Amino acid sequence: MQTPTPLEELLDLAADVLCRDRRTLPAGASGSPFLTLGGGLGQALRLQARADEQLGLLLDVAQLLGPAPLTDVLARAVVPAPAAVRPAPAPGRGARDLALLPGQSAPLTAQRYVGPGAVHRVLSAELAGPLDPAALRAALAGLGARHEGLRTAFPVSAAGTVRRVLDAYAPPLITLPELPGAPAASRGAAVDAAHARLADEVERLIGHPDRPPFAFVLTRLAADRHLLSFLCHDAVADAWSAALVWRELLADYARAASGQPPAARSAAPARTEPPAGAEPLLDAGPLAERIDRIREFPAVVDLVPPGRRPAVFDFRGERLAVALDTELRDAVDATAARAGVPHGTVLLAAWALAVGRRSGHEWLLVGAELPRLRTGAPLRTVAPGSTTVPVCCELEGGVDYFLRGVACAFGEALACSALDTEALVRELGLRGDRSRTPLTQVSFADHDGLLPARAAAGPLTARFHHGHLGGATADAALTVLRWREEPLLALDFASSVLDRAQAEQLAQELRGALAALASAGEADPVEDLLPHTLTACVTPLTAAPLSAAASA
């Protein structure tokens, strides 16, 4: 039997990730990029991780989401340079003080000025069925043993805040008293009340400087119904690694509850830092071109008229749930398939269209949450592995042309993902403005596929709930929480910029933009999709492009 080539094996993995027929994908992959074959960021990360784990090959996510045919990108896979082996700490050493990882400094610094709500996150599982506390503690212990990020504290030393990795640390399980009226409350009301209590008590629960800033918090809601919440600082985990924590925890709980040991896992440590040479230089060709491109776009996108913005952005905010019906979801899926882009691109494009109409811009920057590293680490490591990068959105052309342009712009944005926002702002020469977040005042994140709506854990069933602790990192941030099952988006908004009624209006405009894109023909001009009356309540801005702002 003939041994398959690495390219054939990579194409098989790509077919699995894209849910395509292995026999027919090679023909399409020879002439079409990953994006037009239905791949998005989540699929690119999964393909990258599987290629690394199963074949020992490294794929570049930026190339996967670029315009080159998929076969060409897969043919460029390389054997990664061996990671430096860090010696294990001597028994009894207790802890190691290390430099902060990329993405940890900003939230640790911000906490001193903006409070805990903006730098902590909570992701909960509503557990139905008989809970085995011993099995839960055994699963938590396995998590702590595997993941260095769950054994890391952030004390302040003479040299500043350091990353202190402990030899051992059992993830704490904190049991809170049952909320008054919880058994009789509706599911949503009980979960919201539990999350509100966590928002009030976050500093007491995980604010000790010498301990890792996270905990699992258990709240009884009713007989055989509990809410288990993963409460953590942004320096510990982002959305990708929080989902990883839940996937491993539920799998290990199921094994422990049936009397089995935790599943065997690779002895090779997951990479938490980029390999040598992975950080692109500012004068590198693609990155320099990308920065020049960003300079052509407005520095400011305002959702409110001049004079309505507070003098200082306070990072406080609220969340608005945006549920979509299945009919609109299916129409969006059909439009995405016709244009050859993932459904997340249609959602990003609709968000850019709604914001552009409201702010009066035909060209605008929308910040997208993207993986910072290109090693597959976001899917295997508990660490803040993502950053927000501007996507250059042009609201012009026919609908399918517009959607493909947004897809390409999203892929190109990965060229800047190794840079902190602060570094990109410095490179662009932008002046400080305390009234708004720099570079991108609106943002987008696609978390669909990180976790299902429900999962099984032995005799338990888990239903996931994405909590909000009262923070805001942008004027308005749209997150795709679920798509295929019970489609749900979240609109986080800065309460000092928008009130709830304005946020609800913006959410309605987003629905209108989605419906307009989903019902339009492939060549219908984007300029004609939405009535410009949406901007009637907002004075359009004539913000200078970044190049002019930099020289002001």
Side-chain angles (χ1 to χ4, degrees):
M1 182 175 179
Q2 187 174 2
T3 302
T5 67
L7 179 57
E8 290 172 331
E9 293 179 302
L10 286 169
L11 282 167
D12 284 346
L13 291 182
D16 286 344
V17 167
L18 294 170
C19 298
R20 301 286 293 263
D21 190 321
R22 294 188 180 194
R23 295 166 298 179
T24 60
L25 178 66
S30 64
S32 301
F34 187 71
L35 281 168
T36 62
L37 292 168
L41 176 60
Q43 291 95 330
L45 287 170
R46 286 195 289 276
L47 177 56
Q48 183 193 58
R50 289 186 62 180
D52 188 5
E53 293 168 357
Q54 296 176 221
L55 305 177
L57 295 172
L58 181 60
L59 291 169
D60 191 313
V61 170
Q63 293 182 14
L64 275 173
L65 297 180
L70 176 57
T71 301
D72 293 354
V73 175
L74 297 182
R76 297 174 195 153
V78 298
V79 178
V85 178
R86 190 165 54 209
R93 181 175 176 180
R96 294 167 285 146
D97 285 356
L98 305 170
L100 297 177
L101 293 172
Q104 291 181 329
S105 177
L108 290 169
T109 301
Q111 184 175 358
R112 288 181 245 157
Y113 302 100
V114 303
V119 295
H120 290 84
R121 65 181 64 234
V122 59
L123 179 56
S124 300
E126 182 184 357
L127 304 175
L131 181 66
D132 183 340
L136 179 56
R137 292 186 183 278
L140 290 174
L143 274 177
R146 282 193 301 274
H147 291 289
E148 186 177 275
L150 298 179
R151 303 193 307 274
T152 301
F154 300 95
V156 178
S157 69
T161 304
V162 297
R163 179 167 56 106
R164 180 165 295 168
V165 180
L166 309 177
D167 282 356
Y169 184 74
L173 178 61
I174 301 171
T175 301
L176 294 182
E178 183 176 303
L179 287 159
S186 67
R187 165 185 287 161
V191 171
D192 289 346
H195 284 163
R197 180 167 66 179
L198 292 179
D200 291 338
E201 300 189 25
V202 60
E203 287 190 287
R204 179 182 71 83
L205 294 172
I206 62 173
H208 195 289
D210 294 323
R211 298 174 190 158
F214 79 94
F216 289 86
V217 183
L218 187 65
T219 303
R220 183 179 183 273
L221 301 178
D224 284 346
R225 183 166 159 243
H226 297 80
L227 189 73
L228 182 62
S229 300
F230 178 45
L231 181 65
C232 72
H233 198 287
D234 282 347
V236 172
D238 62 4
W240 277 279
S241 48
L244 170 67
V245 165
W246 274 113
R247 290 196 302 269
E248 290 193 3
L249 177 61
L250 294 181
D252 283 351
Y253 176 88
R255 296 181 66 86
S258 63
Q260 302 178 61
R265 303 191 191 278
S266 172
R271 303 182 184 95
T272 58
E273 303 176 51
E279 296 288 340
L281 302 175
L282 288 180
D283 59 354
L287 184 57
E289 292 173 8
R290 171 70 182 161
I291 290 174
D292 287 342
R293 173 70 169 151
I294 293 172
R295 291 184 198 278
E296 300 174 2
F297 282 69
V300 170
V301 173
D302 247 328
L303 299 174
V304 294
R308 293 270 300 276
R309 174 173 289 280
V312 177
F313 188 87
D314 62 9
F315 292 90
R316 300 182 188 280
E318 300 177 38
R319 169 165 289 184
L320 183 67
V322 184
L324 302 177
D325 59 58
T326 55
E327 183 179 358
L328 179 55
R329 178 203 63 197
D330 293 344
V332 168
D333 284 343
T335 298
R338 184 192 70 202
V341 300
H343 65 260
T345 294
V346 183
L347 291 163
L348 171 56
W351 180 229
L353 185 56
V355 169
R357 289 290 184 265
R358 173 170 276 258
S359 63
H361 290 301
E362 295 297 328
W363 283 26
L364 69 156
L365 298 175
V366 177
E369 185 180 272
L370 297 174
R372 183 188 307 272
L373 306 182
R374 298 186 180 181
T375 60
L379 295 183
R380 302 196 302 268
T381 308
V382 178
S386 58
T387 188
T388 299
V389 180
V391 176
C392 299
C393 298
E394 301 178 32
L395 314 182
E396 56 188 33
V399 166
D400 284 14
Y401 175 88
F402 166 57
L403 293 176
R404 292 179 190 128
V406 171
C408 290
F410 184 84
E412 291 165 0
L414 280 165
C416 293
S417 64
L419 295 178
D420 287 324
T421 299
E422 293 82 357
L424 189 54
V425 167
R426 287 194 301 271
E427 179 67 14
L428 291 164
L430 293 179
R431 301 172 64 182
D433 182 351
R434 297 183 65 198
S435 71
R436 68 186 80 245
T437 52
L439 198 56
T440 52
Q441 292 84 49
V442 293
S443 64
F444 175 83
D446 190 351
H447 295 166
D448 171 50
L450 297 183
L451 283 174
R454 298 175 183 82
L460 295 179
T461 58
R463 178 185 174 89
F464 293 104
H465 298 275
H466 303 259
H468 185 256
L469 299 177
T473 57
D475 289 1
L478 183 71
T479 303
V480 184
L481 300 179
R482 296 193 301 268
W483 186 248
R484 178 47 39 196
E485 182 181 1
E486 301 174 5
L488 179 66
L489 316 178
L491 176 57
D492 295 348
F493 60 96
S495 50
S496 62
V497 178
L498 300 170
D499 59 31
R500 195 163 189 87
Q502 291 170 320
E504 289 172 350
Q505 178 63 28
L506 183 58
Q508 189 59 35
E509 292 163 9
L510 168 66
R511 287 192 183 95
L514 269 175
L517 286 172
S519 61
E522 61 181 281
D524 289 354
V526 172
E527 295 90 336
D528 298 340
L529 287 189
L530 291 183
H532 286 270
T533 52
L534 290 181
T535 63
C537 62
V538 178
T539 303
L541 297 175
T542 54
L546 292 178
S547 55
S551 60

